[in-house]
Amino acid sequence: MKAPAPPALAVENLKTHFFTRGGVVKAVDGVSFSVNRGEILGIVGESGCGKSITGFSIIGLVDPPGRIVEGSIKFNGEELTTADQERLRSLRGNRIAMIFQDPMMTLNPVLRVDTQMIEAVRAHRDVSKAAAFGMARDALADVGIPSPERRLKAYPHELSGGMRQRVAIATAFINKPDLVIADEPTTALDVTIQGQILAEAQALCARTGTAMIWITHDLAVVSSLADRIAVMYAGRIVETGTTSEVVSHPLHPYTMGLMGSVPSQNKRGERLIQIPGMAPSLLNRPTGCAFRPRCTRSTQACLAEPEITEPMQRRAVRCFHPLLAGAPA
């Protein structure tokens, strides 16, 4: 019997720390997850919880004083934490791509779009300039850009914000990567354009079999996009599950707080439900459960460090008092 193919990405006990004068910032502290081919994983959490650093760690873009101190990152079965920079450069933009929150982090303002997209192709493939131009044109058409040949001849400043983000997405998908990491790419866009880009990204993954990690602070975004959700808090994943199950029945009190903070779930005239307090400093995490100072369900047991458990099928949660069916809210 043929052995099953490994996941596109498998992260195990990843720890990325920043060694500063004030101490060690544990930005990512024991994160584990996997993403299969054609699957979209949403990583959700407040600003500063370690979402983006997780993405940067995967593609080897963590700058000093930060570094990966422990853990495993396997891409198609290949260990990346021990790969040299030459190998990582050959993978970035080719087999692994990243879409940034600001498309101008991807696009050079003084070069035309065609120049940049052709370069992205020819850096990894031995093809003619004409063939690379055709791939760029097709990639822009795939993300819904009208008149792609005309847009290729434009400079980034001549395009709208939504159009620039579409170009960044097209550039990420142009080499048909196995994995795309999207770091809040629709945050600065209006809701209509955001919805269009989400639909296009979802269709591209389904059509090409590309695995995607979508990093965001907005549960409403991933609920319409992702197949599975991983909720992060203070550098750790506190809950995972299928999107429908996490949204309909959150187990961790923090996930419940995020759900309650979505404005559309509150009636007109009522105050928006807020999670009390502030996210802890990753330089000085609270003892035990990091969410304990903000949690209405905390007890003496929460002074110890909770481990990941699986109280329900296909669900995992890091909590001593998960919101199970029949449990008091």
Side-chain angles (χ1 to χ4, degrees), residues 44 194 198 216-226 229 243 247 258-259 262-265:
V44 189
Q194 183 182 82
L198 293 177
T216 182
H217 63 272
D218 193 341
L219 259 176
V221 167
V222 291
S223 65
S224 62
L225 172 75
I229 290 177
T243 300
V247 170
L258 291 178
M259 293 296 300
V262 177
S264 60
Q265 295 192 350

Side-chain angles (χ1 to χ4, degrees), residues 156-241:
H157 72 269
E158 297 178 293
L159 305 176
S160 66
M163 199 73 76
R164 284 197 293 266
Q165 196 58 276
R166 278 185 166 91
V167 171
I169 292 171
T171 304
F173 276 90
I174 196 168
N175 285 315
K176 296 181 171 54
D178 297 314
L179 173 68
V180 171
I181 303 168
D183 186 13
E184 305 203 47
T186 61
T187 299
L189 304 178
D190 63 71
V191 175
T192 303
I193 300 301
Q194 183 182 82
Q196 292 173 0
I197 288 179
L198 293 177
E200 287 155 5
Q202 197 171 39
L204 282 168
C205 288
R207 186 164 63 248
T208 62
T210 297
M212 175 178 277
I213 298 173
W214 193 281
I215 296 169
T216 182
H217 63 272
D218 193 341
L219 259 176
V221 167
V222 291
S223 65
S224 62
L225 172 75
D227 300 297
R228 289 187 297 119
I229 290 177
V231 181
M232 279 192 76
Y233 185 78
R236 295 177 178 176
I237 290 178
V238 297
E239 180 171 355
T240 60

Side-chain angles (χ1 to χ4, degrees), residues 8 37-38 75-76 90-99 117 120-122 124-125 127 131-143 168-181 203-212:
R37 290 166 179 79
F75 172 66
N76 288 334
S90 71
L91 291 173
R92 286 195 293 260
N94 184 23
R95 309 314 319 146
I96 305 175
M98 190 158 188
I99 308 167
M117 295 188 72
V121 174
R122 300 187 75 190
H124 300 285
R125 297 189 183 198
V127 298
F133 182 89
M135 292 173 64
R137 180 191 58 226
D138 294 342
L140 292 189
D142 284 343
V143 296
I169 292 171
T171 304
F173 276 90
I174 196 168
N175 285 315
K176 296 181 171 54
D178 297 314
L179 173 68
V180 171
I181 303 168
L204 282 168
C205 288
R207 186 164 63 248
T208 62
T210 297
M212 175 178 277

Side-chain angles (χ1 to χ4, degrees), residues 2-308:
K2 192 175 182 180
L9 180 73
V11 176
E12 187 68 32
N13 195 36
L14 176 64
K15 295 184 180 181
T16 302
H17 297 173
F18 287 79
F19 297 85
T20 70
R21 291 179 181 177
V24 179
V25 178
K26 298 179 180 179
V28 180
D29 195 26
V31 165
S32 301
F33 61 86
S34 64
V35 194
N36 295 316
R37 290 166 179 79
E39 182 183 40
I40 301 177
L41 172 70
I43 298 183
V44 189
E46 291 172 291
S47 296
C49 72
K51 309 184 300 296
S52 295
I53 297 300
T54 299
F56 291 143
S57 299
I58 293 168
I59 59 174
L61 288 181
V62 177
D63 294 325
R67 69 173 185 267
I68 296 173
V69 298
E70 191 177 325
S72 169
I73 303 170
K74 288 187 177 178
F75 172 66
N76 288 334
E78 177 185 357
E79 182 60 56
L80 297 186
T81 57
T82 56
D84 57 30
Q85 283 302 312
E86 184 178 352
R87 176 56 180 158
L88 291 174
R89 278 194 297 269
S90 71
L91 291 173
R92 286 195 293 260
N94 184 23
R95 309 314 319 146
I96 305 175
M98 190 158 188
I99 308 167
F100 297 95
Q101 181 172 346
D102 182 0
M104 295 308 286
M105 290 182 67
T106 302
L107 302 175
N108 188 324
V110 301
L111 295 178
R112 290 191 335 190
V113 170
D114 59 351
T115 302
Q116 300 182 60
M117 295 188 72
I118 288 170
E119 183 178 337
V121 174
R122 300 187 75 190
H124 300 285
R125 297 189 183 198
D126 185 16
V127 298
S128 66
K129 192 172 181 179
F133 182 89
M135 292 173 64
R137 180 191 58 226
D138 294 342
L140 292 189
D142 284 343
V143 296
I145 291 182
S147 305
E149 287 200 22
R150 189 161 62 109
R151 303 299 182 190
L152 280 171
K153 299 184 188 308
Y155 287 89
H157 72 269
E158 297 178 293
L159 305 176
S160 66
M163 199 73 76
R164 284 197 293 266
Q165 196 58 276
R166 278 185 166 91
V167 171
I169 292 171
T171 304
F173 276 90
I174 196 168
N175 285 315
K176 296 181 171 54
D178 297 314
L179 173 68
V180 171
I181 303 168
D183 186 13
E184 305 203 47
T186 61
T187 299
L189 304 178
D190 63 71
V191 175
T192 303
I193 300 301
Q194 183 182 82
Q196 292 173 0
I197 288 179
L198 293 177
E200 287 155 5
Q202 197 171 39
L204 282 168
C205 288
R207 186 164 63 248
T208 62
T210 297
M212 175 178 277
I213 298 173
W214 193 281
I215 296 169
T216 182
H217 63 272
D218 193 341
L219 259 176
V221 167
V222 291
S223 65
S224 62
L225 172 75
D227 300 297
R228 289 187 297 119
I229 290 177
V231 181
M232 279 192 76
Y233 185 78
R236 295 177 178 176
I237 290 178
V238 297
E239 180 171 355
T240 60
T242 64
T243 300
S244 59
E245 291 170 340
V246 171
V247 170
S248 63
H249 185 190
L251 296 180
H252 198 281
Y254 176 62
T255 312
M256 175 65 81
L258 291 178
M259 293 296 300
S261 300
V262 177
S264 60
Q265 295 192 350
N266 296 272
K267 296 179 181 178
R268 181 185 291 272
E270 292 187 3
R271 289 183 62 85
L272 188 68
I273 299 172
Q274 293 178 313
I275 301 173
M278 296 180 64
S281 167
L282 297 180
L283 190 62
N284 187 24
R285 282 168 46 98
T287 56
C289 175
F291 190 60
R292 174 178 53 82
R294 307 174 71 187
C295 184
T296 57
R297 297 170 62 82
S298 65
T299 64
Q300 284 295 111
C302 302
L303 291 171
E305 183 67 56
E307 299 293 331
I308 285 281

